Amino acid sequence: MDAAGFSPATLSALLALVRKHTGIAMTERKSVLLERRLRPRVQALKLDSYQAYLDMVEKDRAEVPHFIDLVTTNDTLFFRTQQVWDYIEQEFLPQWFQDHPGKRLKIWSAAASSGEELYSMAMLCEEFQQTHPGFGYQIFATDISRQILAQARDGQYSGRSLERIQSTHPDWVKKYFRPSAHGLRVVDALKKNVELAQHNLLTPLKPSRQFDLVFLRNVLIYFDPEHQQKILDQARLSMAPHSRMILGESESISGRDTAYQLERPMIYRME
Ligand SMILES: C[S@@+](CC[C@H](N)C(=O)[O-])C[C@H]1O[C@@H](n2cnc3c(N)ncnc32)[C@H](O)[C@@H]1O
């Protein structure tokens, strides 16, 4: 038995199932975390072992979405990594608007989690629209976890995820949120140009989808190099010429995929 109480066979079956259904490369070091996440589900289903649960995930397709919800990590917050948002607000939006008169900016928040990233972007777009009449935008937001997408759709937030925006933009909190049962909920105006959909990054999107700005932040870190490359290859098919892709602070693909040119840390430009 390991530190989490898994037998070696159960742990390796569990890691293989995580990889099969999400592509995420977890190692034995995550066993305690996985045990903590799976335990309530195993108890709720009144199963007598983790192996019994893994057998169920293998046999019962209906259990797979629950399993995915449990094994994915969804940490996020409004305006995570300030320099990215400064770049979008001060450089990307004005330049894009100038270069694409009459067009609608297409944004993809891939691995959107509970929605903080996409609503941060919606706020910047709404603000930009006020000073640039004629600007339009559409945000497509996806994640592999249905449960976390339901939270994004609900748009209700509290605690740590709001801390940064509350200190940097208390005026936007007043303007774009309303008190709700469990904290603050984004106003409908922020949802009007947003479409949410479940999507596994290892699979292709509809070829007709072409985006000008893609957020692929804090998700590549969960994959091995082979799967990272597969995700980058799939994403590339959905990127318009000269579009930008934004990665997380600890992610870099410099020198790896020549289709993405490093413009500055975390920001890549398609040829
Ligand atoms: C840490 S969150 C990142 C949220 C946001 N992009 C940010 O940077 O704050 C990672 C998200 O990736 C999602 N994810 C993991 N594997 C995925 C896959 N194969 N396809 C799509 N989304 C995936 C998880 O469900 C989780 O919500």
Side-chain angles (χ1 to χ4, degrees), residues 21-24 68-69 71-78 80-81 109-118 142-146 148-149 198-203 215-223 231 247-248 251:
H21 290 295
T22 66
I24 296 172
I68 291 172
D69 293 342
V71 300
T72 47
T73 297
N74 313 115
D75 288 348
T76 185
L77 48 124
F78 281 93
R80 181 177 197 172
T81 313
S109 172
S113 187
S114 37
E116 285 87 334
E117 181 176 89
L118 75 99
T142 61
D143 199 283
I144 196 172
S145 163
R146 288 177 204 274
I148 208 71
L149 277 178
Q198 198 253 356
H199 171 67
N200 184 344
L201 287 167
L202 290 162
T203 62
F215 292 89
L216 187 70
R217 301 196 308 159
N218 304 299
V219 64
L220 287 179
I221 37 165
Y222 297 107
F223 296 85
I231 289 174
L247 299 185
E251 295 163 322

Side-chain angles (χ1 to χ4, degrees), residues 25 118 129 220 223 248 252 258 261 265:
L118 75 99
Q129 207 164 40
L220 287 179
F223 296 85
S252 167
T258 50
Q261 301 296 325

Side-chain angles (χ1 to χ4, degrees), residues 144-163:
I144 196 172
S145 163
R146 288 177 204 274
Q147 189 183 49
I148 208 71
L149 277 178
Q151 283 183 41
R153 199 166 281 119
D154 185 34
Q156 202 171 181
Y157 302 97
S158 61
R160 186 175 159 267
S161 104
L162 288 167
E163 277 169 15

Side-chain angles (χ1 to χ4, degrees), residues 6-15 51 54:
F6 291 124
S7 70
T10 300
L11 182 56
S12 89
L14 171 57
L15 298 177
Q51 189 56 56
L54 300 186

Side-chain angles (χ1 to χ4, degrees), residues 173-213:
V173 176
K174 260 196 194 148
K175 190 169 169 183
Y176 294 114
F177 293 84
R178 294 288 172 268
S180 64
H182 302 290
L184 297 174
R185 180 178 275 121
V186 297
V187 294
D188 287 344
L190 282 195
K191 295 182 176 178
K192 68 180 188 294
N193 296 322
V194 171
E195 180 189 349
L196 291 144
Q198 198 253 356
H199 171 67
N200 184 344
L201 287 167
L202 290 162
T203 62
L205 275 184
K206 272 202 201 118
S208 54
R209 295 227 181 237
Q210 290 284 291
F211 300 97
D212 305 296
L213 183 62

